[in-house]
Amino acid sequence: MRIARFLLGAALATLLVAPPALSQTIQIDGAGATFPYPIYSKWFSEYNKLHPNVRINYQSIGSGGGIRQLSNQTVFFGATDGPMTPDQQLAAPGRILHFPTVLGAVVPIYNLAGVQSDLNFSGETLAGIFLGKITRWNDPALAKDNPGVTLPDAEITVVHRSDGSGTSYIWCDYLAKVSPDYKKTVGVATSVNWPVGLGGKGNEGVAGLVKQTPGSLGYVELIYASHNQISYGAVKNMEGEFIKASVEAVTAAASSAASKMPADFRVSITNAPGKGVYSVSSFTWLLLYENPKDKERSRIMVDFMKWALADGQKFAPELGYAPLPKGVIDLELPALAKIKVK
């Protein structure tokens, strides 16, 4: 009897001091890039089905906003398509780690009535347009990219992002690689001083402006073009091929990434060499503090990331993203163990 009372008392004591199961809903807030918003929304919904007491809330406000809010610790995690700069990392109150989640493509979208063919764009032509040096659709540079296509004598209205944007970072990163003039004049950052054009907030804003503006040309992540049924062009790669964005073409761009992946995962794959490569491809990153104060949320986000790197990858192709190469996932799992969850 005395033993039974002792065991009962020990069990009650364990219940009192052990960390409780998630009997109450825990919300984890994040913010950042619009580029991965469609797949992150899908992932957070699927993860909630597996863990009903965990709700991951994500604000699609642009990479710059995500980095800023994470640095200010107003959200628990961030997301970006342009890696944090050394200055941004130093300004944060703790070490922030980058974790690739999927791969995607940024595509040139356009609104050009009367042209039925898919248009081709070389990097040099796109750079000339966004520098304001190519201003009309029938410019010789565009005609050279599109032999046999009758292009109208109409003004090009350039549309770009107005907010701090990882999509802009990817776009500028590519154009700076193919055009020294663009690199010198505009440069590569999530926010740049655009020489010409109208600004739209988020991928959604750029897609909306292009859709309602005849003669316009902009850039968005692939799913925003397909979802809004906006025409998007093929881009000339290093092999001289005009390639339209696809899961296969983005995968080709990342094929050698694992062998060259730096320890912090901050790598560019725009203008990658190889046949069948889509040149404006990129990883997108989820950002987490290495040693956050809230260990419970930290543990949940590490578990979520492990799920996203495994089961979550199967949702990528249906939403226009490419899954991560196995070699990259194999590198990420040990890196996740660096995050303090106790």
Side-chain angles (χ1 to χ4, degrees):
M1 187 74 175
R2 184 179 299 170
I3 294 173
R5 282 199 300 270
F6 172 78
L7 292 174
L8 178 60
L12 288 172
T14 300
L15 288 173
L16 289 172
V17 300
L22 296 180
S23 58
Q24 295 183 341
T25 298
I26 289 183
Q27 179 167 306
I28 302 176
D29 294 324
T34 63
F35 180 101
Y37 176 67
I39 192 162
Y40 284 3
S41 296
K42 178 68 174 176
W43 280 355
F44 298 150
S45 173
E46 293 296 324
Y47 190 77
N48 176 252
K49 292 176 185 177
L50 299 172
H51 305 277
N53 290 338
V54 175
R55 297 188 182 278
I56 303 176
N57 175 56
Y58 181 70
Q59 299 173 36
S60 172
I61 62 172
S63 296
I67 290 170
R68 184 168 56 255
Q69 288 201 18
L70 182 64
S71 298
N72 293 336
Q73 295 184 297
T74 55
V75 294
F76 192 77
F77 69 94
T80 184
D81 313 315
M84 293 177 68
T85 66
D87 286 346
Q88 287 173 330
Q89 290 177 310
L90 287 171
R95 188 182 181 198
I96 295 174
L97 304 180
H98 290 62
F99 293 98
T101 50
V102 288
L103 295 130
V106 179
V107 298
I109 58 173
Y110 55 91
N111 179 346
L112 198 58
V115 176
Q116 303 301 321
S117 307
D118 289 334
L119 294 183
N120 295 328
F121 299 92
S122 68
E124 294 80 2
T125 299
L126 288 170
I129 292 170
F130 278 80
L131 285 169
K133 295 184 175 182
I134 296 174
T135 61
R136 305 196 73 78
W137 280 103
N138 63 345
D139 188 276
L142 277 162
K144 182 180 177 182
D145 290 345
N146 296 276
V149 178
T150 302
L151 295 167
D153 182 12
E155 185 178 354
I156 300 172
T157 300
V158 172
V159 180
H160 54 71
R161 289 284 288 272
S162 61
D163 51 334
S165 158
T167 306
S168 290
Y169 182 95
I170 297 164
W171 188 248
C172 292
D173 186 45
Y174 167 65
L175 294 182
K177 286 179 179 179
V178 298
S179 168
D181 191 12
Y182 191 92
K183 183 177 182 179
K184 179 182 177 181
T185 305
V186 180
V188 182
T190 54
S191 293
V192 297
N193 292 319
W194 298 101
V196 292
L198 307 173
K201 187 175 182 181
N203 275 286
E204 306 92 334
V206 172
L209 271 175
V210 170
K211 196 166 186 178
Q212 69 187 29
T213 309
S216 58
L217 171 74
Y219 58 91
V220 294
E221 202 279 329
L222 176 59
I223 194 171
Y224 291 88
S226 55
H227 179 73
N228 288 285
Q229 299 182 320
I230 303 173
S231 298
Y232 63 96
V235 177
K236 191 176 184 179
N237 65 17
M238 287 186 71
E239 306 297 324
E241 305 168 310
F242 284 100
I243 301 292
K244 284 201 79 171
S246 66
V247 170
E248 295 76 17
V250 173
T251 300
S255 61
S256 62
S259 61
K260 300 176 183 177
M261 181 66 72
D264 63 4
F265 300 105
R266 298 164 68 245
V267 66
S268 167
I269 58 168
T270 58
N271 205 35
K275 293 282 188 181
V277 164
Y278 181 70
S279 293
V280 202
S281 300
S282 179
F283 290 99
T284 188
W285 294 267
L286 193 137
L287 306 174
L288 293 168
Y289 278 102
E290 183 180 43
N291 188 20
K293 295 177 182 177
D294 191 326
K295 304 304 181 187
E296 184 174 35
R297 283 177 170 78
S298 179
R299 176 183 59 78
I300 292 170
M301 285 305 298
V302 168
D303 183 73
F304 165 77
M305 279 300 301
K306 290 179 179 177
W307 175 86
L309 294 175
D311 295 348
Q313 295 294 303
K314 69 185 179 185
F315 297 106
E318 68 188 54
L319 292 172
Y321 301 91
L324 294 173
K326 181 181 182 299
V328 174
I329 293 173
D330 290 343
L331 293 172
E332 282 192 76
L333 292 174
L336 279 168
K338 296 178 182 177
I339 296 179
K340 307 297 190 296
V341 297
K342 292 181 181 179

